[in-house]
Amino acid sequence: MSVMINISELKDTLELTPSTQNIMLVGKHGIGKSEILTSYFKSKGMKVVTLFLGQMSDPGDIIGLPSKVEKKDADGNVTSQTDFTPPYWFPVDGKPIVLFLDELNRARPEILQTVMDLTLNRKLAGKALPEGSHVISAVNDGNEYQLTDLDPALVSRFNIYEFKPTVEEWLNWAVAQGLDERVINFIQDNPTWLDGDSGDGKRDYRGLDKSADRRAWKNVSDIMLKVDTIKDIHKRIIAGIVGAGAAAAFIRSVQQHNAITGKELLLKYSKTMKTVEKYKLHEFAILNESVFRFLQNAKLNEREKKLAAKNLGQYIDFLRTNKKKEALANFTSIFEKGTYDQAIVFMVVNATEVYDMLNEFVEKL
């Protein structure tokens, strides 16, 4: 059984693993493997080349095409030999690259044979990758995929990790990317729908049946950003993106709830509190998490920082003085975990009294 890692742990793994060791990531489609790898290595100034092995039909797609090369020896005799013209992606400038072999276990056997030498010797048809190059692969795992059995000798050349980003990591990413608040709130309240599972233990993969994934929820957000009122056509479009079950749950949630977000609370406090005052504990839990996510990712100007700090203090006072002890305990628990480090930095710099108060609460827990 492979070791499970999330996004933060993946970045640590990439940092600590030498380029001479290969990494294999196991996981569902649509969870951001390629995007995260590309973002990480680009921040290091390295080029990422992604090869979709499941789409390749010939080894020449990887090693290049054969060509006839004539050479003269010292006596002037001409000999011919076959060489391979480097493929389009091969780094001819000598700079190390990150070669991301996606869909490794959906590749044809002849493609996998070509990969063998690449993973062991960092060579293709006798041509070596530049020193410092990384080889990383990704495989899908599950009965819903048509897969090729991998040779144990090939598998042994990889450090293998099951990649499963947490819901919290996706929510933070969603806030930072400006996804529609209704999508964010739905996933926060119904996290089992993020990866296409309603929580009943059943998976609906039957041919062309659609199932939700993280990429699909981003697509739903792109639609929702243009929509104020959901109409029948929107329901059909969303169902085509995430499947009928997820779409029905999402639309029902949007129609039943008009949740206050952390951004609205901290920047429009007086307008939101009439609603917040009527909240039950589970709604406070959602709001508290949203407050931390907003402070974690928001790019605020000085006026907004002062306003958010002031309203944060008012909100904590409201929880403390209105017998909302459980809601305050929940807020303090999120603070204590330290997951939202930038939110805590915001409190240290801009809302010192709130920071000190929360530390006192932590000591009393």
Side-chain angles (χ1 to χ4, degrees):
M1 182 177 292
S2 54
V3 177
M4 186 180 296
I5 58 175
N6 58 32
I7 294 176
S8 176
E9 292 164 337
L10 172 58
K11 291 178 179 179
D12 289 340
T13 300
L14 295 174
E15 186 73 32
L16 295 170
T17 303
S19 62
T20 52
Q21 298 182 21
N22 308 316
I23 292 175
M24 178 185 292
L25 301 179
V26 182
K28 269 194 70 177
H29 65 278
I31 59 176
K33 297 184 290 291
S34 178
E35 293 89 342
I36 293 166
L37 289 172
T38 299
S39 175
Y40 173 83
F41 282 109
K42 277 189 174 181
S43 71
K44 303 290 184 180
M46 295 188 70
K47 179 181 179 181
V48 178
V49 176
T50 301
L51 300 181
F52 295 97
L53 301 188
Q55 300 175 14
M56 294 183 174
S57 59
D58 188 276
D61 294 335
I62 298 180
I63 64 176
L65 298 176
S67 61
K68 187 176 181 181
V69 179
E70 295 185 345
K71 292 185 179 181
K72 289 184 178 181
D73 60 21
D75 298 324
N77 299 316
V78 177
T79 59
S80 298
Q81 64 183 42
T82 299
D83 196 3
F84 286 85
T85 303
Y88 72 94
W89 58 265
F90 196 87
V92 294
D93 57 3
K95 296 181 180 179
I97 65 168
V98 179
L99 189 57
F100 181 45
L101 306 175
D102 204 0
E103 302 177 340
L104 182 68
N105 60 340
R106 304 183 78 176
R108 295 170 179 265
E110 56 269 29
I111 299 295
L112 293 177
Q113 288 299 317
T114 303
V115 172
M116 293 282 278
D117 189 34
L118 177 64
T119 55
L120 181 61
N121 301 312
R122 292 293 200 281
K123 289 184 178 181
L124 282 174
K127 295 180 175 63
L129 290 175
E131 185 175 352
S133 293
H134 296 257
V135 176
I136 300 175
S137 71
V139 300
N140 299 126
D141 184 38
N143 296 328
E144 64 269 26
Y145 302 107
Q146 295 179 352
L147 306 176
T148 303
D149 290 335
L150 296 178
D151 190 313
L154 176 60
V155 173
S156 70
R157 298 174 186 181
F158 288 91
N159 304 341
I160 303 177
Y161 307 98
E162 182 181 354
F163 180 52
K164 191 169 185 179
T166 66
V167 175
E168 290 75 17
E169 287 174 327
W170 186 87
L171 288 169
N172 274 331
W173 171 85
V175 172
Q177 295 296 315
L179 267 63
D180 189 270
E181 288 284 355
R182 289 164 291 185
V183 172
I184 294 172
N185 291 336
F186 172 71
I187 295 301
Q188 181 180 337
D189 204 18
N190 304 272
T192 54
W193 276 116
L194 178 59
D195 294 310
D197 187 353
S198 64
D200 59 7
K202 298 178 181 178
R203 292 279 186 177
D204 293 326
Y205 297 104
R206 299 186 302 275
L208 292 177
D209 280 1
K210 189 69 175 174
S211 179
D213 58 43
R214 298 170 188 230
R215 184 186 301 127
W217 286 115
K218 166 64 167 61
N219 293 340
V220 171
S221 172
D222 291 342
I223 300 293
M224 292 301 296
L225 287 170
K226 305 173 184 178
V227 174
D228 291 324
T229 302
I230 296 180
K231 301 178 181 178
D232 285 343
I233 185 59
H234 301 130
K235 297 176 183 179
R236 294 176 180 273
I237 292 172
I238 294 170
I241 298 172
V242 295
F250 171 68
I251 292 165
R252 184 166 58 249
S253 173
V254 171
Q255 292 175 337
Q256 290 178 350
H257 300 92
N258 187 21
I260 300 298
T261 66
K263 178 179 180 180
E264 291 169 332
L265 178 74
L266 296 184
L267 298 184
K268 300 177 181 179
Y269 186 81
S270 60
K271 293 183 179 180
T272 60
M273 284 308 293
K274 288 184 179 180
T275 299
V276 172
E277 287 171 355
K278 302 174 184 177
Y279 271 10
K280 296 180 180 179
L281 180 58
H282 77 279
E283 293 171 309
F284 275 112
I286 294 172
L287 177 58
N288 289 343
E289 199 84 38
S290 182
V291 167
F292 275 92
R293 277 204 311 273
F294 172 67
L295 294 177
Q296 178 77 10
N297 297 285
K299 309 298 181 187
L300 303 176
N301 58 39
E302 290 303 316
R303 185 192 67 80
E304 291 171 330
K305 287 179 182 178
K306 291 180 180 179
L307 180 61
K310 174 187 174 183
N311 290 337
L312 177 62
Q314 287 184 293
Y315 177 60
I316 297 299
D317 283 340
F318 165 78
L319 296 181
R320 185 168 55 87
T321 59
N322 286 271
K323 298 181 180 180
K324 306 292 184 182
K325 292 183 179 179
E326 291 181 330
L328 180 58
N330 171 263
F331 193 96
T332 306
S333 172
I334 299 172
F335 171 83
E336 184 183 18
K337 288 179 182 178
T339 304
Y340 299 98
D341 56 334
Q342 293 306 307
I344 295 174
V345 170
F346 175 89
M347 295 178 196
V348 170
V349 175
N350 302 284
T352 306
E353 292 183 2
V354 171
Y355 176 78
D356 291 340
M357 188 185 305
L358 291 173
N359 275 315
E360 290 180 11
F361 291 151
V362 169
E363 293 175 0
K364 295 177 182 178
L365 290 178

